[in-house]
């Protein structure tokens, strides 16, 4: 299948190449974010890209950025291509605001080992796997080489944020989470947990990075959860993680996906996009509908005046 595994051009200054997103300096001085089809799992990028994944992440993030403008401003200017966002520059705050409504994932693993305090939030004994908390909780982490749990007090003491800024981020994270939870509940989806990243632009707090995507959030089928909470279907990239775990050999995860697993991952990404937005992912446009992704991307950037046509 046609995928965008890598994008590079001498016309634009590369600012940062991440596991999934590549950032460039646009001629306007703004930031151009290219969301590729690369898939990251267990701190490494797999050799096999997943078709349409980048467009799903970019499109879903744009959908949620638009839906939540009444809660907080964000960095989006426009989407010149399904895989590209033109964004305002902001000073990133090196803190991830993780909001959880269920005991699962790394928190459940820590709980099983006796941990009862998570980023300063205490939870009681006697909880079960995937149990819902009475209210969503915020468990921040630092954005470092290896993210670490940290209490709000230590975030302030170590100079990551001021107490006032942290409280503003905490309140906005919960407001965003509650808004999205209600939206998804009406569509049979549980927003289990997610992360938010913020930045400062001219001293104002804004939302950056991505929001409520399958890479930044955990989703469950509400129907499955009602039937058996401990085996609820995860509607995110957990499918790929579980395949990697099942096929681990000599302590090493596979570096590539089989065609069948890659195709199923694509199906799941497209499905969650349609279930959340109510419409299929738009995968073509007036330049090269259904054609080569890279050619379409370049054509759209030329049309937007961000790149010059190569003759």
């Amino acid at each position: 299948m046609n995928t965008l595994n890598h994008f590079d051009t001498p016309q634009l200054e590369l600012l940062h190449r991440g596991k999934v997103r590549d950032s460039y300096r646009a001629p306007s001085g703004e930031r151009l974010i290219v969301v590729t089809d690369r898939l990251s799992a267990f701190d490494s990028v797999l050799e096999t890209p997943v078709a349409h994944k980048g467009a799903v992440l970019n499109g879903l993030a744009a959908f949620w950025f638009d839906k939540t403008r009444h809660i907080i401003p964000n960095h989006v200017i426009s989407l010149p291509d399904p895989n590209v966002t033109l964004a305002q520059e902001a000073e990133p705050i090196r803190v991830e605001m993780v909001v959880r409504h269920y005991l699962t994932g790394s928190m459940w693993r820590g709980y099983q080992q006796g941990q009862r305090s998570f980023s300063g939030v205490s939870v009681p004994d006697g909880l079960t796997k995937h149990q819902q908390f009475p209210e969503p909780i915020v468990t921040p982490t630092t954005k470092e080489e290896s993210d670490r749990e940290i209490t709000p007090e230590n975030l302030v003491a170590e100079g990551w944020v001021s107490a006032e800024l942290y409280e503003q981020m905490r309140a906005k994270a919960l407001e965003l989470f509650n808004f999205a939870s209600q939206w998804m509940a009406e569509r049979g989806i549980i927003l289990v947990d997610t992360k938010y990243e913020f930045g400062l632009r001219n001293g104002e707090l804004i939302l950056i990075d991505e929001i409520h995507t399958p890479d930044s959030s955990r989703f469950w089928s509400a129907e499955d959860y009602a039937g058996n909470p401990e085996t609820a279907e995860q509607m995110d990239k957990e499918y790929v993680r579980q395949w990697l775990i099942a096929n681990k050999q000599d302590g090493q995860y596979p570096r590539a996906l089989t065609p069948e697993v890659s195709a199923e991952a694509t199906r799941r990404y497209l499905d969650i996009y349609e279930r959340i937005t109510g419409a299929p992912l738009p995968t073509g446009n007036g330049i090269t509908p259904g054609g080569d992704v890279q050619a379409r991307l370049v054509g759209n950037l030329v049309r937007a005046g961000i790149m010059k046509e190569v003759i």
Side-chain angles (χ1 to χ4, degrees), residues 53-64:
K53 175 180 177 288
V56 165
L57 297 184
N58 199 51
L60 264 183
F63 172 85
W64 284 114

Side-chain angles (χ1 to χ4, degrees), residues 187-240:
R187 290 153 181 81
I189 303 167
I190 294 174
L191 178 57
V192 181
D193 52 42
T194 193
K195 71 174 180 70
Y196 301 106
E197 295 189 31
F198 297 93
L200 293 172
R201 179 169 174 81
N202 299 325
E204 179 185 29
L205 187 70
I206 68 170
L207 192 61
I208 63 172
D209 194 57
E210 61 181 325
I211 174 176
H212 304 149
T213 73
D215 277 18
S216 67
S217 312
R218 186 178 277 111
F219 306 122
W220 289 335
S221 160
E223 183 179 3
D224 278 6
Y225 185 82
N228 187 340
E230 293 198 11
T231 61
E233 177 191 2
Q234 294 198 200
M235 306 165 67
D236 48 58
K237 70 176 182 180
E238 185 65 21
Y239 162 75
V240 174

Side-chain angles (χ1 to χ4, degrees), residues 49-125:
V50 173
H52 302 307
K53 175 180 177 288
V56 165
L57 297 184
N58 199 51
L60 264 183
F63 172 85
W64 284 114
F65 278 130
D66 184 60
K67 290 288 182 187
T68 59
R69 287 183 186 277
H70 66 287
I71 298 175
I72 184 172
N74 61 68
H75 69 167
V76 176
I77 298 172
S78 65
L79 267 65
D81 179 84
N83 286 72
V84 180
T85 292
L86 184 65
Q88 297 175 330
E89 281 289 2
E91 178 189 350
I93 300 170
R94 309 303 295 174
V95 175
E96 284 190 357
M97 300 297 285
V98 181
V99 183
R100 307 173 185 270
H101 206 179
Y102 296 80
L103 181 57
T104 190
S106 61
M107 190 175 184
W108 168 245
R109 290 190 290 273
Y111 189 87
Q112 285 180 297
Q113 296 168 6
Q115 187 177 350
R116 294 295 181 268
S117 180
F118 301 85
S119 297
V121 178
S122 297
V123 294
D125 292 329

